[in-house]
Amino acid sequence: MFLTAPLVVVLGVVVVLLVRKSGLRPSHAVAAVLLGFYLHGSTLAPTISEAVRSVADVIGSISP
């Protein structure tokens, strides 16, 4: 999936902005990253990946 690297960068920027502007504590951000890491290795990973792919396809099919 070629969308993975840009998605990681966008989500990383969102986390940095939330830590700086919205009061998200760094410990909460670390907990969220660890949750994502362990979810990746779980049986839910294919379902989550398919859902993200579907949403990206829907967003990509919207014409301006």
Side-chain angles (χ1 to χ4, degrees):
M1 177 178 188
F2 68 91
L3 185 66
T4 304
L7 186 59
V8 168
V9 171
V10 168
L11 290 175
V13 169
V14 168
V15 168
V16 168
L17 289 175
L18 286 173
V19 167
R20 288 186 169 205
K21 302 291 183 187
S22 297
L24 178 69
R25 293 186 179 166
S27 60
H28 297 156
V30 168
V33 168
L34 289 174
L35 174 63
F37 177 78
Y38 285 110
L39 272 176
H40 176 72
S42 74
T43 58
L44 290 174
T47 305
I48 294 169
S49 179
E50 196 60 37
V52 170
R53 184 175 296 130
S54 297
V55 170
D57 288 343
V58 167
I59 291 172
S61 69
I62 297 174
S63 59

